[in-house]
Amino acid sequence: MATNEVKVLGSWPSPYAMRPRIALNLKSLTYEYIEEKLWEGKSELLLQSNPVYKKIPVLIHGDNKPICESLIIVQYIDEAWSSGPSILPSDPCERAVARFWAAYLDDKWFPAVKSIGVAKGEEAKKAAIAQVEEGLALMEEAYDKCSKGKGYFGGDEVGYLDIAFGSFLGWLRVTEKFNAMKLLDEGKTPGLVKWADRFCSHAAVKDVMPDTDKLAEFGKFVIAKIRAAGAAAEMH
Amino acid sequence: MAEEVVLLDFWPSPFGMRSRIALAEKGIKYEYKEEDLRNKSALLLQMNPVHKKIPVLIHNGKPVCESLIQVQYIDEVWHDKAPLLPSDPYQKATARFWADYIDKKIYDLGSRVWKTKGEEQATAKKEFIESLKLIERELGDKPYFGGESLGYVDVAFIPFYSWFYAYEKCGNFSIEAECPKLIAWAKRCMQKESVAKSLPDQQKVYDFILQMKKRFGIE
């Protein structure tokens, strides 16, 4: 393999796998995309290139440089191909803010979104929904501050935080569909609603954003599996 | 304008220690403010409304939250002295990966070691040691994770050394017996003033843990 070739190991329903692909698209870089069918078992290449977590996404640059963890990959792409448009802000303070919100989304917000689907009982579900809505209110405020009147968290162009947050939109929409509710609401978070449409129709994003219906079908499959595992565990 | 740097912190926090070390490495003068976590200051709540946690770095009035984000910020702002992250993008990505691994594993596994007993503790110890061994393998024969000098991963990990004695006493095991290279590395780091000044005494941390155990009713 040529020393400059790029491979991405991913999985189409994964929001994390979308992130490196959007970043590569923003830099107008070509790459080979390898779909891992995770429910059929992990490939040798995946196990070799991510022995610690055995998870996608993995970016393999050239012959021997695997990079793991989606946000670390995005930063790598930004730094290795520094001549293309910048993904992270140049100001250290703005970078810290972008990193802070990306970490919040990964560590707190998206787990709350996922827990709505598998919450046991009405109380737990309500609490999860409240946490998600609280997070969206925070992100609306962050959007106001970061975008400075422009279209994206990154300003004129899609940036790190747009990628981090936007990659969760597919599953957010599925959650809205499954629970017949609006989480991203024009009344409460008007800025984010417009930003979401703008993000999803961006050239670097639209081909890697999964179709909501297709994702919903997959979601049903995953929830059924989790419930079955839970029921099996309770039977012992 | 004179630089104004404040660190809101809590003396046993390994996360706070990271920022202390980074600031010391760069020779930055700052005001250290000790927080009482059972009675958080208005400043803390104002500067970190989302998580309400320490450490918080306040630079010229603007807060930076989350310890690894702080270390990167410090490295980027005061970039002309003692670089912590490598300049090569692949080496940078590798450093970030291991610092993130340490974040995901060490604190939680270590906490389970001192907070639990019996079977649960045995499992926690096993997983904790496995993680340490993986980190030790990554160090290899290098003097520091950063190579010839203290780097990002060293700063991310060395604070936990101040908790090793507490883990060992609570879990009844020896980390040195399991990971001698890691202990050698830790002692090497402790020779540096920036590290020695930023880490509390291990006995003090152990006493603190015993207090915590009493408070939470853990034998």
Side-chain angles (χ1 to χ4, degrees):
Chain A
M1 177 164 65
T3 42
N4 276 321
E5 274 179 30
V6 177
K7 285 187 173 161
V8 173
L9 308 183
S11 178
W12 71 266
S14 162
Y16 308 103
M18 275 181 70
R19 292 164 168 182
R21 301 179 74 187
I22 297 170
L24 290 164
N25 288 345
L26 285 170
K27 298 275 188 181
S28 305
L29 295 164
T30 51
Y31 63 96
E32 183 189 347
Y33 175 69
I34 299 169
E35 179 76 27
E36 286 278 331
K37 293 191 177 63
L38 300 174
W39 44 96
E40 283 174 24
K42 298 179 180 186
S43 75
E44 257 316 299
L45 184 59
L46 174 56
L47 298 174
Q48 246 176 45
S49 45
N50 191 356
V52 175
Y53 299 118
K54 306 175 177 57
K55 284 182 168 181
I56 54 88
V58 182
L59 182 142
I60 305 172
H61 190 186
D63 284 324
N64 56 1
K65 293 187 192 170
I67 298 117
C68 309
E69 294 300 292
S70 62
L71 294 178
I72 294 177
I73 299 172
V74 171
Q75 291 183 84
Y76 174 78
I77 292 166
D78 199 30
E79 290 156 3
W81 288 277
S82 52
S83 53
S86 274
I87 296 175
L88 268 107
S90 47
D91 172 66
C93 206
E94 289 177 22
R95 288 158 80 92
V97 169
R99 285 172 173 147
F100 174 84
W101 288 116
Y104 166 78
L105 291 165
D106 272 9
D107 297 339
K108 299 266 171 341
W109 185 77
F110 191 59
V113 174
K114 283 193 288 186
S115 70
I116 294 175
V118 292
K120 292 198 174 101
E122 268 312 302
E123 279 306 308
K125 198 171 176 188
K126 271 192 189 157
I129 292 169
Q131 215 191 330
V132 170
E133 290 182 327
E134 200 185 294
L136 288 171
L138 287 171
M139 293 312 294
E140 175 81 9
E141 226 187 284
Y143 176 70
D144 268 336
K145 288 206 184 109
C146 297
S147 64
K148 299 183 199 148
K150 305 281 172 76
Y152 301 100
F153 286 89
D156 280 316
E157 243 320 340
V158 164
Y160 183 76
L161 187 50
D162 298 277
I163 296 172
F165 191 21
S167 53
F168 288 133
L169 287 171
W171 282 106
L172 186 66
R173 288 181 171 149
V174 166
T175 306
E176 287 177 327
K177 197 181 155 100
F178 280 177
N179 297 280
M181 59 161 49
K182 254 194 173 179
L183 288 163
L184 213 52
D185 184 315
E186 295 92 21
K188 295 184 191 164
T189 56
L192 288 184
V193 169
K194 292 204 186 82
W195 162 82
D197 283 335
R198 202 175 292 128
F199 179 81
C200 293
S201 43
H202 191 285
V205 177
K206 59 183 163 58
D207 293 334
V208 297
M209 177 70 77
D211 167 70
T212 306
D213 289 330
K214 204 177 164 201
L215 208 57
E217 275 310 304
F218 179 79
K220 286 188 194 146
F221 165 75
V222 170
I223 289 178
K225 272 200 146 190
I226 296 174
R227 292 229 167 99
E234 269 160 47
M235 282 195 270
H236 287 276
Chain B
M1 178 175 64
E3 300 272 27
E4 204 200 66
V5 182
V6 179
L7 184 69
L8 307 183
D9 200 350
F10 178 51
W11 71 267
S13 163
F15 307 102
M17 289 174 217
R18 291 166 167 175
S19 301
R20 290 175 226 166
I21 297 169
L23 289 164
E25 278 287 298
K26 305 280 185 175
I28 299 158
K29 285 204 164 71
Y30 66 98
E31 187 190 345
Y32 178 92
K33 281 195 163 146
E34 186 72 29
E35 284 283 332
D36 174 1
L37 298 184
R38 283 183 291 175
N39 186 19
K40 294 177 181 179
S41 73
L43 183 62
L44 173 56
L45 299 176
Q46 186 199 354
M47 291 287 152
N48 192 356
V50 175
H51 302 299
K52 305 175 176 57
K53 283 180 167 183
I54 54 89
V56 181
L57 181 77
I58 311 171
H59 184 204
N60 295 331
K62 287 204 218 158
V64 179
C65 305
E66 297 298 293
S67 62
L68 290 181
I69 296 177
Q70 286 164 11
V71 174
Q72 290 184 84
Y73 176 83
I74 291 165
D75 202 35
E76 288 163 10
V77 172
W78 291 279
H79 51 80
D80 37 8
K81 188 180 174 189
L84 295 170
L85 272 151
S87 46
D88 171 70
Y90 183 66
Q91 284 176 19
K92 234 189 222 187
T94 305
R96 285 181 175 136
F97 175 87
W98 287 105
D100 177 66
Y101 175 84
I102 288 158
D103 252 14
K104 283 180 165 63
K105 299 280 178 184
I106 301 302
Y107 186 72
D108 286 340
L109 289 176
S111 292
R112 275 165 49 201
V113 168
W114 70 261
K115 281 183 180 169
T116 64
K117 36 183 184 144
E119 269 241 37
E120 228 192 310
Q121 193 189 50
T123 308
K125 266 163 63 178
K126 183 169 169 281
E127 291 178 22
F128 182 65
I129 291 165
E130 262 164 32
S131 283
L132 291 181
K133 287 190 165 161
L134 191 62
I135 294 169
E136 191 183 49
R137 266 208 296 283
E138 175 57 24
L139 177 65
D141 291 315
K142 303 194 291 293
Y144 301 99
F145 288 92
E148 294 304 311
S149 56
L150 206 74
Y152 186 64
V153 179
D154 302 277
V155 173
F157 191 39
I158 192 61
F160 292 99
Y161 178 64
S162 66
W163 284 58
F164 278 9
Y165 180 67
Y167 294 145
E168 287 172 323
K169 291 286 282 191
C170 294
N172 193 26
F173 68 119
S174 160
I175 295 175
E176 183 153 21
E178 302 283 349
C179 303
K181 275 187 168 174
L182 220 48
I183 298 301
W185 159 82
K187 290 183 173 160
R188 194 175 298 128
C189 289
M190 289 297 287
Q191 304 262 332
K192 306 204 89 198
E193 200 184 341
S194 59
V195 176
K197 277 191 159 175
S198 304
L199 264 57
D201 174 66
Q202 293 202 41
Q203 180 66 50
K204 217 177 155 199
V205 173
Y206 179 51
D207 292 337
F208 167 75
I209 292 300
L210 290 179
Q211 255 182 44
M212 288 289 109
K213 284 173 79 141
K214 251 196 202 151
R215 194 186 300 164
F216 294 122
I218 307 162
E219 271 162 50

